[in-house]
Amino acid sequence: MDVRTTLKNGLAQLREAHVPSFTLAAELLLLHVLGHDRTWLYAHPEEQLSTADNERFFALIARRAAGEPTQHLTGKQEFWGLEFEVTPDVLIPRPETEHVIEVALDRLALRELRAGRKQTLTGEGLQIADVGTGSGCIAIALAKELPGATIHATDISSPALAVAQRNAARHSVANQVHFIEGNLLHDATILFDLVVSNPPYIGRRQAKMLMREVRDHEPEIALFGGEEGYEIYGELIRQSAEHLKPGGILTLELGHNSLPAVQPLLDAPTWTNVAVTNDLAGIPRVIAAERL
Ligand SMILES: C[S@@+](CC[C@H](N)C(=O)[O-])C[C@H]1O[C@@H](n2cnc3c(N)ncnc32)[C@H](O)[C@@H]1O
């Protein structure tokens, strides 16, 4: 079978199984099997697939149709322009989490500006904590943006940390990012300039409403923050207050219903300059504050 027909048959199977974004999923799986990029796919519609590639592709299509996320089948996901290894042990990095990086970098730049320092921010000497690092996507993106900073990335899941460590090596920041197994910032012994986190924030009561790809395949510890979802923020904000330097910045991703529960926790006299950033869908996605 040629590339065009194979792709057509593959996406028809995914459409039938009600897979969201079925065309993209079929393309990514075919590219994964063939080891080519997208341009190649559309430049070579008549190319014949080997029997082995054909079988591998339709085996992946069957698994995707049964609910396995595409990223678990290809083993990768792009985030902040970087390719990350993903396995069922880590949350698949989401595009909206890039707002956490944007807000954190903006806040750091503003701090430099207010202090009368020059605007080229390399992060020299900065100590940064990424709480619940998962695949390491936030920690590694920040390390790439701020080559002078040291990042301390924590997670309660040791299998997740193993993936994060491989991602740090893949992006040549293994010397800049330290991985620590532990509960939030419990074991931190230093003070930070910046604490970032995308904590688990889905409510267990919402579990039934989740897509099967998420509910059945992503780690529970990465998804659920408690019965309501926002329970973890209280302890995270309390520990961040303890471990941030005066003037230090906290940047947290929010779940779609977390804002009313989280905003009151960032109050005076501990916190100032609290601001919320919406994502592209208009949902309050990131809250940032400064430690007084
Ligand atoms: C929503 S995922 C975020 C992963 C990654 N930072 C991202 O943005 O894709 C939350 C992460 O927090 C970790 N986690 C859950 N409870 C934790 C705790 N009490 N202390 C540290 N990490 C925790 C989970 O293992 C998971 O990797």
Side-chain angles (χ1 to χ4, degrees):
M1 226 190 298
D2 65 21
V3 162
R4 183 191 288 126
T5 317
T6 306
L7 189 59
K8 220 174 106 202
N9 292 347
L11 68 86
Q13 287 186 27
L14 296 187
R15 186 176 45 219
E16 193 128 315
H18 305 290
V19 168
S21 311
F22 53 84
T23 305
L24 180 64
E27 280 177 8
L28 289 172
L29 293 176
L30 188 55
L31 293 174
H32 176 65
V33 165
L34 297 177
H36 289 300
D37 63 17
R38 215 161 184 185
T39 331
W40 183 93
L41 196 65
Y42 288 99
H44 298 84
E46 321 289 347
E47 187 100 356
Q48 294 295 311
L49 261 75
S50 68
T51 313
D53 283 347
N54 193 67
E55 279 171 7
R56 276 181 68 206
F57 174 65
F58 284 103
L60 292 178
I61 287 286
R63 288 170 65 185
R64 183 67 195 89
E68 278 187 68
T70 307
Q71 295 89 337
H72 287 179
L73 301 172
T74 62
K76 60 194 181 207
Q77 172 63 37
E78 197 185 295
F79 178 85
W80 201 255
L82 304 166
E83 190 178 282
F84 286 88
E85 174 190 340
V86 293
T87 74
D89 289 323
V90 299
L91 189 90
I92 298 166
R94 307 294 207 268
E96 56 270 25
T97 300
E98 295 188 352
H99 292 301
V100 173
I101 318 254
E102 286 163 4
V103 170
L105 291 175
D106 279 357
R107 285 289 185 124
L108 286 174
L110 196 66
R111 215 172 63 146
E112 293 298 285
L113 212 63
R114 276 202 255 136
R117 289 188 284 264
K118 62 179 172 38
Q119 278 198 52
T120 44
L121 190 65
T122 61
E124 212 49 55
L126 291 183
Q127 299 289 345
I128 297 176
D130 172 25
V131 183
T133 198
S135 64
C137 60
I138 298 178
I140 291 164
L142 285 173
K144 291 303 245 186
E145 293 296 324
L146 303 167
T150 303
I151 324 280
H152 308 262
T154 80
D155 207 292
I156 206 160
S157 152
S158 71
L161 285 170
V163 176
Q165 253 149 356
R166 289 200 293 276
N167 277 321
R170 169 191 276 226
H171 293 297
S172 313
V173 292
N175 291 338
Q176 206 189 333
V177 188
H178 305 296
F179 293 100
I180 306 128
E181 187 178 335
N183 186 0
L184 303 177
L185 287 171
H186 251 289
D187 305 319
T189 51
I190 59 164
L191 293 181
F192 299 106
D193 298 278
L194 169 70
V195 172
V196 291
S197 183
N198 172 19
Y201 55 59
I202 299 172
R204 283 198 180 273
R205 54 209 250 110
Q206 294 150 9
K208 280 206 194 85
M209 277 127 68
L210 292 175
M211 282 168 38
R212 60 185 176 151
E213 283 82 355
V214 177
R215 190 189 53 232
D216 300 343
H217 295 279
E218 296 204 75
E220 281 205 6
I221 188 88
L223 298 176
F224 300 113
E227 199 50 29
E228 299 299 328
Y230 46 70
E231 288 88 338
I232 204 165
Y233 288 95
E235 185 59 11
L236 178 54
I237 290 173
R238 202 189 57 69
Q239 290 190 21
S240 300
E242 239 173 66
H243 291 290
L244 273 169
K245 297 176 186 173
I249 295 157
L250 175 64
T251 308
L252 301 176
E253 180 163 329
L254 294 169
H256 80 275
N257 63 349
S258 327
L259 184 62
V262 176
Q263 198 155 19
L265 303 174
L266 293 165
D267 55 354
T270 310
W271 301 100
T272 185
N273 285 335
V274 180
V276 175
T277 305
N278 287 358
D279 64 18
L280 299 176
I283 297 167
R285 184 56 68 188
V286 179
I287 191 159
E290 197 178 308
R291 175 80 170 93
L292 269 167

